[in-house]
Amino acid sequence: MEELRIDDIIGVEGISNLPVELLEPYDYLLLIPGSNKNVRALFLQAFNDFFFHMPNDKLLQKIGEVILIFHNSSLLIDDIEDNSDYRRGMLAAHKIYGIPLTINCGNTMYFVALKKAQTELIDLVLESRDAIQFRGNIDPLYLKYEVLNILIEEMLSLHRGQGLEIYWRDNLSAIKENLPTLSGYMSMVLGKTGGLFRLSVKLLKLILCPNEDLDVLLPIANLMGIIYQIRDDYLNLVSDAYANAKGTVGEDLLEGKLSFPILHCLRHTNNSPVHKLLMENGDRSQESIAECIAYMKDESGSLKYCLDTLKTLEARTKKLINDNDSNLAQLLSKLCSV
């Protein structure tokens, strides 16, 4: 008979090693190539080249790793919340591994990212402080506290933004007389999408110049986050490549999501095909989706307004960058290409 080693079990602080089978949804997602060429890593590198000039590639890579884990973990949860069948042209993780295990995996990896930031990242900072001309408080406990504050603040912001988007989607009939404004939509995006851009700025600032303000840098990060999301909203409705990756055309309409062009159409028209589909729980066949997209293109002007807004945001960001030859400006142009 197998011996129960109770004394050995109850003496430990907790389970430290994560069984590989619990992380299979995350590992599966990592194997699916992304379509955006890891834009957050490009943003981190470009921002460092533009402003911070940190020479330590290992530190940049570790910051990028932490941000990437947060991003991929949020995708696992996001696909469940949106009931998406596909991610990057492949079955979404929860369609293979089930919703309970995928939720557990996504939440687990949030904490893995926190732990990496508090241990591996801080260790690298302390090891490299002379080479990077570190000018902050070198007390490890202080650095761990500050890193934790930054990450918790942005994770709360992400969940507030994601929660608002879900609330609007699931309560559209109840709020149809009081729809969010387009400015309100951008504020939601600052939480949902902007946080992973702001993390680059905040972590680099903590490491390199903790006493300097972010009056110029945070607006650039915020604008990049808004541009990224509104471009995604546009492509969701018009891009064949996006439709192939998602398994359907106009996924946002199918899900009932208030994307930027959809919200513009609802706020500036009445009794349109988009109103019938979303407000009256109308037919969501591919023919109905195509009719809504055609209406937003030819009647409400919502798709054109979306493109015009992207151009306005691009010009505003270029003005803040004030250097059209920088890597950051090149990344901006790439972000705004549709």
Side-chain angles (χ1 to χ4, degrees):
M1 181 179 294
E2 180 182 354
E3 179 185 358
L4 291 176
R5 304 176 64 88
I6 295 175
D7 289 339
D8 293 341
I9 294 171
I10 63 176
V12 301
E13 294 182 2
I15 300 175
S16 56
N17 295 323
L18 294 170
V20 292
E21 56 268 28
L22 300 188
L23 303 183
E24 286 182 352
Y26 185 87
D27 293 336
Y28 165 78
L29 181 62
L30 283 184
L31 295 175
I32 306 175
S35 60
N36 61 23
K37 310 301 182 184
N38 198 4
V39 69
R40 291 162 186 84
L42 295 175
F43 178 83
L44 173 65
Q45 183 65 60
F47 227 90
N48 183 60
D49 293 343
F50 169 66
F51 187 84
F52 292 101
H53 312 296
M54 180 169 67
N56 191 307
D57 287 340
K58 288 184 178 180
L59 265 173
L60 278 181
Q61 290 169 5
K62 187 57 65 176
I63 293 173
E65 181 185 353
V66 169
I67 294 172
L68 181 64
I69 293 173
F70 274 126
H71 173 60
N72 284 332
S73 303
S74 72
L75 295 184
L76 292 175
I77 305 299
D78 184 69
D79 283 344
I80 294 171
E81 292 171 337
D82 291 343
N83 195 26
S84 297
D85 291 332
Y86 294 94
R87 167 65 62 181
R88 302 169 181 167
M90 301 287 286
L91 279 175
H94 66 279
K95 293 295 181 180
I96 298 174
Y97 300 99
I99 289 176
L101 185 63
T102 305
I103 289 176
N104 184 273
C105 178
N107 289 337
T108 296
M109 292 307 295
Y110 285 146
F111 292 101
V112 168
L114 284 171
K115 186 172 183 179
K116 279 182 175 290
Q118 281 206 309
T119 54
E120 297 173 21
L121 177 58
I122 297 305
D123 287 345
L124 272 174
V125 170
L126 295 175
E127 291 170 10
S128 312
R129 59 182 180 270
D130 293 333
I132 65 175
Q133 298 180 332
F134 182 68
R135 300 188 295 277
N137 187 333
I138 62 172
D139 179 10
L141 289 178
Y142 170 81
L143 289 173
K144 289 181 179 182
Y145 175 78
E146 288 300 316
V147 163
L148 189 62
N149 271 347
I150 290 171
L151 296 177
I152 288 176
E153 179 182 10
E154 291 302 343
M155 287 304 293
L156 284 172
S157 183
L158 184 153
H159 282 80
R160 281 195 296 266
Q162 181 76 353
L164 262 181
E165 183 180 66
I166 293 170
Y167 177 82
W168 292 341
R169 179 195 69 192
D170 293 349
N171 295 276
L172 194 53
S173 297
I175 65 170
K176 62 182 179 181
E177 302 300 329
N178 191 29
L179 290 172
T181 63
L182 293 173
S183 295
Y185 176 85
M186 288 189 181
S187 295
M188 179 276 292
V189 168
L190 283 182
K192 175 191 171 188
T193 310
L196 294 175
F197 288 86
R198 287 191 298 274
L199 275 178
S200 298
V201 176
K202 291 183 175 182
L203 290 175
L204 283 170
K205 175 184 180 295
L206 174 67
I207 293 170
L208 291 170
C209 47
N211 297 321
E212 296 184 26
D213 62 54
L214 298 176
D215 288 350
V216 175
L217 304 185
L218 278 181
I220 295 174
N222 285 334
L223 281 165
M224 287 284 203
I226 293 172
I227 287 169
Y228 181 85
Q229 184 61 57
I230 292 180
R231 176 182 182 271
D232 190 75
D233 291 348
Y234 179 81
L235 292 177
N236 185 279
L237 299 175
V238 304
S239 168
D240 291 338
Y242 198 107
N244 290 334
K246 288 292 186 177
T248 185
V249 177
E251 183 194 37
D252 285 345
L253 282 166
L254 197 61
E255 292 177 358
K257 188 178 293 183
L258 286 187
S259 71
F260 189 83
I262 292 172
L263 180 59
H264 175 274
C265 182
L266 291 175
R267 287 187 59 85
H268 292 85
T269 63
N270 292 301
N271 299 319
S272 71
V274 180
H275 281 82
K276 292 177 182 177
L277 187 147
L278 297 179
M279 300 294 196
E280 300 173 16
N281 198 25
D283 173 33
R284 301 200 179 187
S285 65
Q286 284 301 308
E287 292 78 12
S288 178
I289 297 293
E291 182 184 6
C292 289
I293 294 173
Y295 183 87
M296 285 189 282
K297 177 182 177 182
D298 300 325
E299 300 295 332
S300 71
S302 300
L303 291 176
K304 181 180 183 303
Y305 182 81
C306 188
L307 273 180
D308 290 343
T309 300
L310 278 173
K311 292 176 183 177
T312 299
L313 294 171
E314 180 183 20
R316 180 71 178 272
T317 310
K318 281 183 177 179
K319 187 176 180 180
L320 288 174
I321 294 172
N322 198 28
D323 180 4
N324 290 335
D325 294 325
S326 73
N327 290 336
L328 196 57
Q330 293 174 24
L331 176 58
L332 174 64
S333 297
K334 181 179 178 180
L335 268 183
C336 291
S337 65
V338 291

